[in-house]
Amino acid sequence: MRPILLQGHERSLTQIKYNRDGDLLFSCSKDHVINVWYTHNGERLGTYDGHNGTVWTVDVDSESRFFVSGSADNQLRLWNVATGKCLYTWEFPTAVKRVAFSEDDKQVVCITEQRMGYQCTIRVFNISRIGDSSKQSKEPAHIFNPIGSKATVCAFTSQPSIIFTGHESGKVALFNFKTGEEVDSNERAHSDVVTDLQMSPDKTYCITSSKDKSARIHDTKTLDVIKTFTTETPLNSAAIAPNKPYVLLGGGQEAMSVTTTSLRQGKFETRFWHKVFEEEVGRVKGHFGPINTCVFFL
């Protein structure tokens, strides 16, 4: 099978995301632009312009009707997928590093960065889906500051009112977003910053990647580490294959030190690991820099 190269960004990618059906792929990058692509042929369907800084994160709802984006311009935006229109903008004091829809598409969680005297904050917004959805509540339904190490990634779990978070110190935790309390945590999940978090299709387990060169599968109720995949390079992203026993890991050396090393040493291959046996089963070459984000759709 020939890989399809999608060229539509001028700077490095920050996150890519499939829609529920797998026929669209959303990509965002440091060039302020969000693109959407047809997955069957790699054709660009359109762009979403409006952000004024690096777009760190995107997520699309289950109907491919709306999607949200978070950016270094301190904004969270709600977009209409089909028309490209920005329906609503929330403003914050610091950059939005992660966004995610809930399972029922009625809520969005976002993490804003710890910076300039502001604490890392997690907010949950109720999304109104009435009419054209341009009338949204400005204030979050729930807001709290996670204690200790700042959160870098988050996602809704299958349990009501519980979100799963990954942190700069390497810990993973469960928070009740209604009360803001930490329900459970595993301080030693990773020994360095958690760079990505992706849920299994049924949300009973999830995979995290970290700069500590490992990816781990966790039980989302107990936070037990079920599987560990250890590589020789810092990892930026990890994805679970739906319906197949594989995980996909991507990383590589930091972009700033890339010029001093050869491609082989930079370790920019995408790695396929067997989910159950914890063995690497293959690598795919092709990138000339660190892999920032990877997703799986079958």
Side-chain angles (χ1 to χ4, degrees):
M1 187 195 140
R2 202 181 47 115
I4 302 173
L5 189 62
L6 309 180
Q7 291 180 303
H9 289 287
E10 291 172 3
R11 293 191 57 196
S12 56
L13 297 186
T14 50
Q15 197 179 14
I16 53 178
K17 203 86 184 204
Y18 277 105
N19 66 343
R20 173 76 58 93
D21 302 325
D23 59 338
L24 299 176
L25 181 69
F26 292 83
S27 62
C28 58
S29 92
K30 292 186 174 177
D31 63 7
H32 312 182
V33 176
I34 303 158
N35 286 331
V36 60
W37 313 79
Y38 284 121
T39 52
H40 63 95
N41 61 1
E43 185 187 335
R44 181 157 64 169
L45 173 61
T47 63
Y48 302 88
D49 300 317
H51 277 300
N52 219 344
T54 294
V55 184
W56 288 116
T57 172
V58 289
D59 197 21
V60 57
D61 72 6
S62 63
E63 300 172 358
S64 304
R65 188 175 152 203
F66 303 124
F67 81 94
V68 285
S69 60
S71 165
D73 61 9
N74 307 350
Q75 290 180 345
L76 168 69
R77 285 179 179 241
L78 177 73
W79 306 80
N80 181 313
V81 172
T83 64
K85 187 173 166 224
C86 176
L87 302 171
Y88 197 83
T89 304
W90 290 270
E91 299 257 358
F92 306 113
T94 58
V96 182
K97 296 298 279 201
R98 193 72 170 200
V99 294
F101 266 105
S102 62
E103 189 70 12
D104 60 6
D105 301 331
K106 290 182 179 162
Q107 290 181 311
V108 163
V109 61
C110 82
I111 297 179
T112 53
E113 206 172 20
Q114 175 181 325
R115 184 149 293 175
M116 303 179 305
Y118 291 99
Q119 279 182 294
C120 166
T121 307
I122 296 179
R123 296 175 175 84
V124 175
F125 290 92
N126 291 335
I127 301 295
S128 156
R129 302 176 74 83
I130 301 159
D132 68 351
S133 290
S134 58
K135 291 187 172 55
Q136 300 291 341
S137 161
K138 185 170 180 274
E139 296 304 317
H142 309 285
I143 177 170
F144 67 94
N145 303 95
I147 31 174
S149 171
K150 72 174 186 184
T152 51
V153 290
C154 67
F156 287 95
T157 63
S158 53
Q159 301 158 265
S161 312
I162 302 290
I163 55 168
F164 188 105
T165 58
H167 297 255
E168 197 175 50
S169 64
K171 90 165 177 180
V172 297
L174 294 174
F175 282 93
N176 181 324
F177 60 74
K178 289 187 173 164
T179 63
E181 72 170 316
E182 192 177 286
V183 180
D184 200 358
S185 73
N186 178 355
E187 297 284 343
R188 293 194 298 279
H190 287 284
S191 57
D192 205 343
V193 57
V194 179
T195 50
D196 195 14
L197 158 69
Q198 295 194 26
M199 286 283 169
S200 66
D202 63 359
K203 291 189 163 32
T204 55
Y205 61 95
C206 65
I207 192 165
T208 55
S209 62
S210 168
K211 292 277 184 216
D212 69 3
K213 305 185 179 182
S214 72
R216 293 199 157 101
I217 289 181
H218 311 263
D219 183 304
T220 54
K221 277 200 172 79
T222 64
L223 298 186
D224 292 341
V225 174
I226 304 169
K227 298 287 177 190
T228 300
F229 313 99
T230 307
T231 66
E232 68 281 19
T233 180
L235 294 176
N236 295 327
S237 190
I240 297 165
N243 316 322
K244 288 269 192 299
Y246 300 110
V247 295
L248 187 61
L249 310 180
Q253 205 181 1
E254 286 299 328
M256 45 193 199
S257 49
V258 165
T259 48
T260 57
T261 53
S262 71
L263 270 183
R264 279 258 4 115
Q265 286 172 309
K267 306 187 172 56
F268 306 134
E269 299 109 334
T270 313
R271 296 131 197 280
F272 287 80
W273 283 65
H274 197 287
K275 185 166 74 178
V276 180
F277 300 132
E278 300 178 323
E279 290 171 351
E280 189 174 321
V281 293
R283 291 189 185 187
V284 179
K285 288 193 189 67
H287 286 293
F288 294 100
I291 295 162
N292 294 333
T293 172
C294 58
V295 285
F296 226 130
F297 191 88
L298 288 168

